[in-house]
Amino acid sequence: MDAIFNSVTALAKGADESMRKQIINGLRDLSYSIETPDDTVTRIWSGHLISATVRTAINLKLFNHLADSQTPLDLPKLSDLTKANPVLLGRLCRCLAAHAMIKETALDEYAATNITRALATPGNQGCIKH
C-alpha cells in the first residue's frame, strides 16, 4: 500500500491541473469500484450528515481555530475557543476527522489539514453556507 500511495503522491506533485483532476477522478472511481453494497449505501445516506456537520463547524469557527494554530488543539481548548459543549464538540470533531476534514492526532486532539484550511477561508465558507 505504501508503494502505491507514494507513487500516486509523486505523480500528483508533478501534475498539471488536467492530470490532477484525472488522478482524483480515477482514485474516486477506484474507491467506488471496491465498495461493498453497504459501503455504497452508507456513503450515499450520510452525505447530508457531513454537509450539516461542516456548516456547524463553520458557525463555530472550528476550522478557523484549527487553521490558525501551529499545533494540534485538544478538546477542552477547542471547547473554550468555540464556546461549544465539549461532548457535542467531540462528536462533531470525530465526524469531521472520519471524513478527513480535520485530523485527529491523538485521543480528543485535532489539527488542521489542507481541507481544514480551505474551509477556513471566508469565500469557501460562504459557498457552503449559502
Side-chain angles (χ1 to χ4, degrees):
M1 274 313 284
D2 286 343
I4 294 169
F5 178 79
N6 291 337
S7 293
V8 172
T9 301
L11 182 63
K13 282 185 180 175
D16 62 13
E17 185 65 13
S18 175
M19 178 57 78
R20 191 183 66 78
K21 295 275 188 184
Q22 287 179 12
I23 293 167
I24 290 170
N25 291 335
L27 291 172
R28 183 205 57 230
D29 292 347
L30 174 62
S31 173
Y32 290 174
S33 75
I34 61 175
E35 284 182 339
T36 66
D38 287 343
D39 293 335
T40 302
V41 170
T42 299
R43 176 176 48 82
I44 292 168
W45 74 254
S46 67
H48 70 286
L49 175 64
I50 192 60
S51 178
T53 305
V54 167
R55 288 175 64 95
T56 301
I58 288 170
N59 289 339
L60 292 172
K61 301 198 179 306
L62 178 63
F63 297 124
N64 299 77
H65 294 305
L66 289 170
D68 290 343
S69 179
Q70 299 299 315
T71 60
L73 299 174
D74 63 18
L75 199 51
K77 179 65 174 175
L78 286 170
S79 180
D80 182 54
L81 290 168
T82 62
K83 307 297 184 229
N85 176 284
V87 174
L88 179 59
L89 186 61
R91 291 178 180 151
L92 182 84
C93 287
R94 284 189 296 279
C95 180
L96 292 168
H99 290 277
M101 304 289 163
I102 64 177
K103 181 175 179 68
E104 187 171 19
T105 55
L107 182 63
D108 290 335
E109 182 181 88
Y110 301 92
T113 67
N114 62 317
I115 297 171
T116 311
R117 287 183 279 282
L119 293 172
T121 63
N124 291 337
Q125 290 178 355
C127 288
I128 290 171
K129 289 176 68 171
H130 298 290

